[in-house]
Amino acid sequence: MDELVERLRGEVGGPVLVPGDEGFAEEVAGFNTAVTHSPAVAVGITSEADAAAVVRAAADAGLPIRMLATGHGTPAVTDGVLVTTSRLTGVTVDPDQKVAHIAAGSRWAEVIAAAGQHGLAPIIGASDAVGCIGYTLGGGLGPLARTYGVSSDWARGFRIVTGTGEVVTANADEHSDLFWALRGGKGGFGLVTSMDFALVELTTLYGGSVFFDAPDIARVFMTWASWTKTLPETANSSVVILRLPPLEFIPEPLRGKTVLNVRFAFIGDPAEGQRLFRPIRDAGTAIVDSVGEMPATDIALIHNDPKDPVAAWDQGVLLRDIDAGFASAFLEVVGPEQQVPLVAVEIRHLGGAAHRDVPEGSAVGGRGGAYSLVMIGVPDPGLFETVLPAAAGGVLDRLSAWVSPETTVNFAAAFSLPCSYEAAWPADTFARLAEVRASYDPQELFPYGPS
């Protein structure tokens, strides 16, 4: 190990740290504070050359390599080399080609700001604090997915250091098999150093969120479930039951309450968006209503996900469909009268463009899901091992008639559910991904799959 560390410190421009070094704990810290990384060595890369040097050195030492950007979905790393990308950032926009060049450690907030200067926008996820690369490699179902498809559909190319130490460009014309795999196949192919991502012309949309108090939850949720059946692809929505603590950072109208939050994003004439959203407003008395015409640069406010590190536990599945029976069962297990250790239970309306693959094909799994269901637990690590899995398991048992056998990898919670690894892709896609991994990482330097 000493020889490897000495070599890395001589070849890499960024810090090379081992346990016990000053700054090691900070270097390997991610968004989820409940996850503690303890690799043999952590390397903060600053360039593509750094990335290539790390791969060659780790290969010679026979050590596995894993990556950490923001750490939103990274399971605990307990061996090998952990590459951190927080210093490899930067976004440049070509307004003529409507493409953003995104470095490996960049977050979506940077892309939104850079694209917005040209009247353009990226198709992102719910949070602008998430790293661009890891999210996109898993496909990505954001607040505009019904209208524009999954986020990886907009990837136009990647630069990647493969398991053989070769730096390659993967796009529709070069290494097209790897390009196919990187759009939805998630991990196990190499170290991605940058991505080219197509942008859309979008400056405003009709969207936001509205909150309803506990007495209105059942009526509004039942309305939402049937209302989604009527929406065009230009309309996107999700709904979440939130159990909010009585803390000062929570807005006063919501503090200490169990509420229903309906999110909405419509691409088109604001008047039509207002008309489409009317059934939700009529279903109850809103205690907070922010739905209206908004700048596209504010899209992250629709979900308003936390930006600061927190202990996080979640579990997600896809749903075949929902109906009145589902709505009743859902309220029966997570409605406001229930005592469950889940701070948020969210359902997103999918379909539309998210159902359709790109013409050249991609490795995205879960396109057949009509809705997604994600449960987020109370942020107490003492509950993560037994209490929260048991609570979530009870919810899934009651809703099993509507749960899809397929999932999507970004919602698979590190494959904590049995068979969720294989279920993240159709069987033929799963098999083809294994072939691509074997081709570009024959030594399996980049381990991927359930631990």
Side-chain angles (χ1 to χ4, degrees):
M1 184 59 66
D2 290 345
E3 183 178 342
L4 171 65
V5 171
E6 183 178 354
R7 175 178 173 178
L8 288 170
R9 286 174 175 164
E11 296 181 5
V12 174
V16 178
L17 304 169
V18 297
D21 284 348
E22 183 178 355
F24 177 84
E26 292 78 10
E27 188 69 26
V28 301
F31 177 83
N32 188 351
T33 60
V35 175
T36 300
H37 300 296
S38 54
V41 57
V43 185
I45 61 172
T46 61
S47 66
E48 188 172 84
D50 280 358
V54 173
V55 173
R56 290 192 296 265
D60 290 344
L63 289 178
I65 306 168
R66 299 174 181 84
M67 282 72 70
L68 178 70
T70 60
H72 277 75
T74 307
V77 176
T78 59
D79 63 355
V81 179
L82 181 62
V83 176
T84 61
T85 61
S86 60
R87 296 169 184 82
L88 184 55
T89 59
V91 176
T92 57
V93 172
D94 182 335
D96 297 324
Q97 296 296 318
K98 300 183 180 65
V99 170
H101 180 75
I102 305 169
S106 301
R107 303 181 184 221
W108 283 117
E110 301 171 63
V111 187
I112 292 170
Q117 296 177 22
H118 305 282
L120 303 171
I123 303 305
I124 74 162
S127 171
D128 63 358
V130 169
C132 303
I133 302 297
Y135 163 83
T136 304
L137 293 178
L141 291 166
L144 298 178
R146 283 177 48 79
T147 306
Y148 291 107
V150 302
S151 296
S152 65
D153 292 346
W154 295 85
R156 294 295 178 262
F158 300 88
R159 289 281 289 177
I160 180 172
V161 185
T162 70
T164 63
E166 184 182 7
V167 182
V168 304
T169 297
N171 58 31
D173 300 316
E174 303 175 75
H175 300 282
S176 58
D177 57 338
L178 182 57
F179 180 53
W180 170 87
L182 292 171
R183 291 206 285 181
K186 195 66 175 183
F189 309 101
L191 202 169
V192 175
T193 60
S194 65
M195 171 177 68
D196 289 331
F197 196 84
L199 306 169
V200 300
E201 294 184 9
L202 185 66
T203 56
T204 64
L205 56 95
Y206 185 86
S209 69
V210 58
F211 291 84
F212 298 92
D213 210 342
D216 282 335
I217 286 179
R219 182 170 60 257
V220 176
F221 180 75
M222 298 288 280
T223 299
W224 181 86
S226 59
W227 171 74
T228 58
K229 308 295 185 182
T230 69
L231 295 178
E233 290 186 10
T234 46
N236 304 262
S237 71
S238 63
V239 65
V240 57
I241 293 180
L242 296 168
R243 289 172 165 81
L244 299 170
L247 300 176
E248 289 188 3
F249 71 88
I250 304 293
E252 195 281 329
L254 309 176
R255 193 174 301 157
K257 293 184 176 182
T258 296
V259 297
L260 185 76
N261 179 209
V262 181
R263 294 86 160 249
F264 187 61
F266 174 75
I267 304 301
D269 182 355
E272 176 62 8
Q274 184 178 30
R275 185 193 69 80
L276 284 172
F277 196 64
R278 176 54 58 188
I280 298 299
R281 284 195 165 113
D282 289 346
T285 301
I287 52 177
V288 175
D289 186 345
S290 67
V291 177
E293 190 169 6
M294 62 186 295
T297 51
D298 286 345
I299 191 168
L301 295 179
I302 294 176
H303 282 244
N304 203 25
D305 282 357
K307 297 182 185 296
D308 296 326
V310 65
W313 183 96
D314 65 85
Q315 195 167 91
V317 296
L318 296 180
L319 303 173
R320 292 188 181 93
D321 205 349
I322 65 174
D323 53 23
F326 170 87
S328 296
F330 179 80
L331 293 167
E332 176 187 316
V333 287
V334 297
E337 296 83 11
Q338 306 306 315
Q339 298 298 314
V340 290
L342 302 170
V343 295
V345 184
E346 177 201 68
I347 301 175
R348 299 187 190 185
H349 183 205
L350 306 178
H355 273 178
R356 299 188 291 271
D357 200 0
V358 290
E360 63 274 21
S362 72
V364 173
R367 287 192 187 269
Y371 298 79
S372 67
L373 168 68
V374 175
M375 295 169 283
I376 299 175
V378 171
D380 178 356
L383 305 179
F384 288 8
E385 187 173 345
T386 58
V387 174
L388 292 179
V395 173
L396 294 180
D397 285 346
R398 181 64 183 89
L399 303 179
S400 61
W402 297 273
V403 173
S404 172
E406 63 179 329
T407 185
T408 184
V409 64
N410 281 355
F411 287 169
F415 310 120
S416 56
L417 289 175
C419 302
S420 54
Y421 179 50
E422 296 83 354
W425 298 277
D428 57 343
T429 300
F430 186 82
R432 185 178 172 188
L433 284 170
E435 293 175 359
V436 176
R437 289 189 181 102
S439 175
Y440 286 94
D441 182 25
Q443 296 183 62
E444 298 184 354
L445 285 179
F446 296 91
Y448 186 69
S451 57

